[in-house]
């Protein structure tokens, strides 16, 4: 399977993950085959989600990137297509999430208990289009926490499931999950310089119904 390398040096590799590849096992194997050497996974994307990822090429780089993530210094930006229209054009979502590992599904809950974690994101409405008789919203999302299925369940819990996300109630089940890792910003593990990387979503329906490449 062909993968796109966006940047590579002795410490890190920035690449595009295609939907359908496991970020923790599949991608490191593909990168090893393509570039040689080890590649360590420091953050993950759901298997159905594609977009920008960074992999460490040494254990020291992996430790530095993990520390940057823990300190909130890795900024992650996503694009999503959701059913419906949010009440506010810009806003935040803060929830308590519980991930059921056996079912591989997350739930918004009301009380803190074991396994429950806080989830926070900011969103901005970019545009709305009517497709197949339903309003769909293109959203830019900034994650402040990295919980399992976070974006998917936070929007679905507000009656706005992501297009193609049958697990969380989408009516567009025959389409791929419309969630894309658009951008990463983080300090380089070797010298701390700011790395900024972004890539537009796939050139296919329903992304092509929106002018996202121009935002």
């Amino acid at each position: 399977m062909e993968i796109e390398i966006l940047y590579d040096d002795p410490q890190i590799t920035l690449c595009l993950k295609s939907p359908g590849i496991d970020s923790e096992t599949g991608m490191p194997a593909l990168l090893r085959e393509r570039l040689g050497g080890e590649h360590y996974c420091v953050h993950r994307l759901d298997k159905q989600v594609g977009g920008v990822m960074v992999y460490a090429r040494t254990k020291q780089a992996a430790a530095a990137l993990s520390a940057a993530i823990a300190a909130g210094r890795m900024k992650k930006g996503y694009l999503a297509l959701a059913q419906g229209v949010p009440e506010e054009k810009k806003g935040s979502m803060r929830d308590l999430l519980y991930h059921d590992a056996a079912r591989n599904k997350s739930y918004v809950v009301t009380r803190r208990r074991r396994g429950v974690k806080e989830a926070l994101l900011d969103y901005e409405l970019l545009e709305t289009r009517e497709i197949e008789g339903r309003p769909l919203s293109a959203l830019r999302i900034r994650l402040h926490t990295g919980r399992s299925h976070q974006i998917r369940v936070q929007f679905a819990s507000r009656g706005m499931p992501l297009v193609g996300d049958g697990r969380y109630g989408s009516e567009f089940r025959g389409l791929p999950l419309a969630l894309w890792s658009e951008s990463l910003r983080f300090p380089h593990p070797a010298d701390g310089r700011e790395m900024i990387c972004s890539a537009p979503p796939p050139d296919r329906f329903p992304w092509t119904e929106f002018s996202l490449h121009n935002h």
Side-chain angles (χ1 to χ4, degrees):
M1 186 176 290
E2 186 61 30
I3 52 174
E4 189 173 345
I5 306 299
L6 304 173
Y7 173 85
D8 181 56
D9 69 24
Q11 302 289 324
I12 60 171
T13 299
L14 279 157
C15 55
L16 282 187
K17 181 181 103 62
S18 295
I21 304 175
D22 184 273
S23 59
E24 296 176 274
T25 56
M27 283 298 293
L30 288 169
L31 290 167
R32 192 161 53 241
E33 191 178 297
R34 172 86 175 267
L35 299 171
E38 287 301 317
H39 285 79
Y40 301 93
C41 182
V42 294
H43 69 115
R44 59 182 294 278
L45 287 179
D46 292 347
K47 190 170 183 177
Q48 308 99 302
V49 179
V52 179
M53 291 195 73
V54 61
Y55 286 86
R57 301 203 68 173
T58 67
K59 287 183 177 178
Q60 293 88 343
L65 287 171
S66 295
I69 291 168
R73 297 182 67 203
M74 180 177 282
K75 308 297 184 187
K76 301 175 184 177
Y78 291 80
L79 291 172
L81 303 181
Q83 290 176 219
V85 185
E87 291 180 14
E88 304 289 335
K89 286 199 167 183
K90 286 186 177 183
S92 299
M93 294 183 181
R94 186 186 294 270
D95 293 295
L96 295 174
L97 296 189
Y98 174 73
H99 183 67
D100 184 333
R103 290 196 175 102
N104 190 27
K105 191 170 182 180
S106 292
Y107 301 87
V108 171
V109 297
T110 55
R111 291 198 309 275
R112 290 187 181 275
R113 58 187 169 94
R114 188 170 181 174
V116 170
K117 295 178 178 176
E118 190 170 66
L120 176 63
L121 62 77
D122 297 329
Y123 73 85
E124 176 188 3
L125 175 64
L126 301 177
E127 58 183 303
T128 301
R129 290 266 192 275
E130 189 165 299
I131 297 173
E132 296 179 14
R134 300 183 186 92
L136 298 187
S137 294
L139 302 149
R140 177 164 282 129
I141 297 160
R142 300 286 175 207
L143 272 188
H144 298 288
T145 52
R147 311 305 180 204
S148 293
H149 300 180
Q150 178 179 337
I151 295 171
R152 298 163 63 184
V153 69
Q154 285 194 279
F155 277 91
S157 72
R158 290 160 173 83
M160 295 180 57
L162 302 192
V163 170
D165 197 359
R167 181 179 292 266
Y168 290 101
S170 174
E171 295 164 13
F172 291 84
R173 292 187 174 217
L175 295 171
L177 176 61
L179 180 60
W180 180 256
S181 173
E182 181 193 29
S183 64
L184 281 180
R185 182 188 297 238
F186 60 92
H188 193 285
D191 55 21
R193 74 183 186 275
E194 188 175 50
M195 303 293 293
I196 303 172
C197 183
S198 64
D203 191 19
R204 64 169 182 250
F205 182 85
W207 295 107
T208 46
E209 299 296 301
F210 298 84
S211 55
L212 295 168
H213 295 70
N214 304 322
H215 280 281

